[in-house]
């Protein structure tokens, strides 16, 4: 996993999320990089930062979530979790947004026709989002600052649990 600037890269400085389908073949086997969905960088006091997906992650099965947002999206889609659980998870992760050559979010229609910014919650989901050449990595708060106020967020378009997140609901979560 690429280590962001300012991080030492030592495994002790990260809390890693493994593919739940990965199983060690022998005692004490360390998981390979492609089995790590990503992780949370830990500060000097052990407090986690925002989840950062691993660009080298390869899900072991079609049902393996790629990141915490994807996991919640799947639970919401199957009726096992309320949609309210999605917003805190989005706020606590780094997001990949499709952008133009000059860095502005690309806007397109959601399946219901509403204008949306396409967001991939992990690099694995970018392959489903057409021929986008440029991506930017942002927090949810940064994304809201970049996008027009009349635009929503389409999480993982074409994925197994894609969802249109109302930007107003995400904005409201910062004022509560």
């Amino acid at each position: 996993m690429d280590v962001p600037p300012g991080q030492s890269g030592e495994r002790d400085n990260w809390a890693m999320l493994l593919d739940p389908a990965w199983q060690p073949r022998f005692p004490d086997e360390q998981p390979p990089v492609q089995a790590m969905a990503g992780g949370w960088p830990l500060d000097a006091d052990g407090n986690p930062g925002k989840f950062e997906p691993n660009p080298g992650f390869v899900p072991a099965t079609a049902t393996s979530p790629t990141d915490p947002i994807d996991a919640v999206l799947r639970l919401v889609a199957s009726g096992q979790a309320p949609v309210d659980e999605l917003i805190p998870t989005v706020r606590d992760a780094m997001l990949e947004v499709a952008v133009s050559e000059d860095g502005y979010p690309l806007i397109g229609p959601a399946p219901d026709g509403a204008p949306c910014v396409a967001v991939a919650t992990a690099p694995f989901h970018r392959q489903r989002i057409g021929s986008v050449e440029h991506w930017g990595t942002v927090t949810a708060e940064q994304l809201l600052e970049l996008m027009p106020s009349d635009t929503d967020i389409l999480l993982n378009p074409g994925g197994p649990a894609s969802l249109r997140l109302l930007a107003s609901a995400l904005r409201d979560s910062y004022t509560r």
Side-chain angles (χ1 to χ4, degrees):
M1 178 167 157
D2 294 333
V3 178
Q7 298 293 329
S8 71
E10 296 176 23
R11 188 175 283 237
D12 293 343
N13 292 337
W14 288 81
M16 302 306 295
L17 177 63
L18 293 178
D19 186 327
W22 181 80
Q23 295 294 315
R25 294 169 294 175
F26 52 86
D28 299 326
E29 178 185 16
Q30 295 297 309
V33 172
Q34 62 268 23
M36 296 178 196
W40 295 266
L42 303 175
D43 67 16
D45 296 324
N47 299 311
K50 298 202 181 293
F51 180 83
E52 297 183 26
N54 173 9
F57 175 61
V58 179
T61 69
T63 59
S64 294
T66 59
D67 56 89
I69 297 171
D70 185 45
V72 173
L73 286 170
R74 291 169 189 250
L75 291 171
V76 168
S78 67
Q80 297 176 39
V83 74
D84 295 350
E85 290 187 23
L86 183 60
I87 288 178
T89 309
V90 169
R91 287 181 53 166
D92 290 334
M94 298 304 296
L95 307 169
E96 297 197 37
V97 59
V99 297
S100 63
E101 193 172 305
D102 52 358
Y104 290 99
L106 295 175
I107 299 169
D112 66 358
C116 287
V117 172
V119 171
T121 60
F124 184 81
H125 295 286
R126 292 191 305 197
Q127 64 192 345
R128 294 187 191 101
I129 305 176
S131 59
V132 175
E133 290 185 42
H134 305 283
W135 292 89
T137 302
V138 295
T139 64
E141 196 167 22
Q142 291 167 329
L143 177 60
L144 290 171
E145 291 171 9
L146 292 170
M147 55 190 275
S149 60
D150 63 343
T151 304
D152 289 326
I153 301 162
L154 187 58
L155 295 167
N156 297 339
S162 181
L163 181 131
R164 184 178 78 148
L165 176 62
L166 298 177
S168 60
L170 186 57
R171 278 189 190 91
D172 289 350
S173 76
Y174 286 100
T175 59
R176 285 187 230 148

